[in-house]
Amino acid sequence: MIFWKAFFQNSTVGESSEKNFKNIFLLDKTCDKIELKDIYLSSTKNINLYELEQLCDSVGWVKRPLKKVKIALKNSSIIISLIQKNDSKTRLVGFARATSDNGFNATIWDVVIHPDFQGLGLGKVIMHQLIKQLRQAEISTITLFAEPDVISFYKKLGFIKDPDGVKGMFWYPR
Ligand SMILES: CC(C)(COP(=O)(O)OP(=O)(O)OC[C@H]1O[C@@H](n2cnc3c(N)ncnc32)[C@H](O)[C@@H]1OP(=O)(O)O)[C@@H](O)C(=O)NCCC(=O)NCCS
C-alpha cells in the first residue's frame, strides 16, 4: 500500500467559491503498477464532461446524457476529483460528488477511480476528502448506495448498512 501525503499548492484556503482548497498536490510516486506522477486532489466544480464520461466508461458504467450530467454536477454541493498532470496534459483519474440539504443530510454519488489507478489508496483519499468537507459543513448524516462488490470498501471508511433497521425505499417510473 502506498501512503499518500498531501500538501497544499497555490493554497486557496478561505476562498468562498471553493470551500477549502483548489488543488492539493499528492506526492509523486512510482510503484510497480504504474508511474504515478503529479496527482492533484481538486474541489473544482469545473469538470470536463467528456473526461468524466470516459472515466465512467472505463469502469463500465452505463452512459448518461451529458446534458443531465452537467445539471447534476451544477447542483452537487461538493465535487472532488483527482487529476494527473503530466507536462501540459491533464487526465481525470478519479471523481466523487455529494448532494446535500446543507443542514442535516448528504448523499455521495459517482465514486470512481480509473482502473489503472485502483488499489493504490486513491479511492480512500477522495472519500476522506469528501467526508471531511461534509463534516466541515456540519452535515451529520451521510448516505450512499453501494454495489455489493464495493460494500467492504465503504465499510472500511466507516459506513454501516441500515442502521437501526431503517430500510431505504425507492420509487422508479414504470
Ligand atoms: C470502488 C473504488 C472507488 C475503490 O477505489 P480504489 O482506489 O481502488 O480503493 P483504495 O485503493 O483506496 O482502497 C481502500 C481500501 O478499500 C479496499 N477496497 C477497494 N476496493 C474494494 C472492493 N471493491 N471491495 C473490497 N474492498 C475494496 C482496499 O483493499 C483498501 O483496503 P485497506 O485500506 O485495508 O488497504 C474503485 O475500485 C472503483 O472505481 N470501482 C469502480 C466503480 C465503482 O464500483 N464505484 C463504486 C460505486 S457504488
Side-chain angles (χ1 to χ4, degrees), residues 10-11 18 51 54 57 71 76 82 86-87 94 105 107 110-111 114-115 119 121-123 125-126 137 160 165 169 172:
N10 302 325
S11 174
E18 300 285 343
E51 279 194 65
Q54 275 177 8
D57 281 351
I71 294 169
S76 295
L82 280 167
N86 272 343
D87 303 322
N105 307 296
T107 306
D110 301 339
V111 181
H114 190 282
L122 289 173
V125 166
I126 218 167
I160 45 174
M169 295 182 78
Y172 293 111

Side-chain angles (χ1 to χ4, degrees), residues 15-172:
E15 273 189 17
S16 55
S17 59
E18 300 285 343
K19 281 192 183 103
N20 289 305
F21 65 92
K22 222 166 214 155
N23 288 319
I24 293 177
F25 179 58
L26 300 170
L27 225 55
D28 276 12
K29 280 279 180 190
T30 306
C31 70
D32 49 8
K33 195 174 164 199
I34 189 170
E35 193 186 9
L36 299 167
K37 273 189 80 66
D38 293 351
I39 297 191
Y40 290 79
L41 189 60
S42 171
S43 65
T44 182
K45 285 195 166 182
N46 189 15
I47 300 289
N48 181 312
L49 293 178
Y50 298 100
E51 279 194 65
L52 180 58
E53 188 180 46
Q54 275 177 8
L55 179 60
C56 295
D57 281 351
S58 74
V59 296
W61 284 353
V62 175
K63 271 200 196 314
R64 301 175 295 186
L66 288 188
K67 204 171 141 191
K68 285 201 153 205
V69 174
K70 188 177 177 184
I71 294 169
L73 298 198
K74 187 170 164 246
N75 290 300
S76 295
S77 54
I78 301 173
I79 293 175
I80 304 290
S81 54
L82 280 167
I83 294 155
Q84 187 180 42
K85 293 186 185 177
N86 272 343
D87 303 322
S88 55
K89 283 191 224 139
T90 63
R91 177 185 178 194
L92 183 68
V93 298
F95 180 89
R97 67 184 177 94
T99 50
S100 173
D101 62 13
N102 295 320
F104 305 103
N105 307 296
T107 306
I108 292 176
W109 306 95
D110 301 339
V111 181
V112 54
I113 300 290
H114 190 282
D116 289 350
F117 295 80
Q118 286 178 13
L120 304 170
L122 289 173
K124 201 154 61 174
V125 166
I126 218 167
M127 285 295 294
H128 278 158
Q129 193 59 47
L130 202 46
I131 292 165
K132 187 172 152 193
Q133 291 206 22
L134 289 169
R135 294 296 296 132
Q136 280 169 352
E138 296 184 20
I139 296 297
S140 50
T141 306
I142 304 173
T143 53
L144 53 76
F145 298 90
E147 295 293 338
D149 59 335
V150 289
I151 286 174
S152 308
F153 167 71
Y154 290 121
K155 274 189 173 170
K156 285 182 177 177
L157 292 159
F159 286 84
I160 45 174
K161 284 206 274 180
D162 289 341
D164 307 323
V166 176
K167 302 287 178 203
M169 295 182 78
F170 299 82
W171 184 93
Y172 293 111

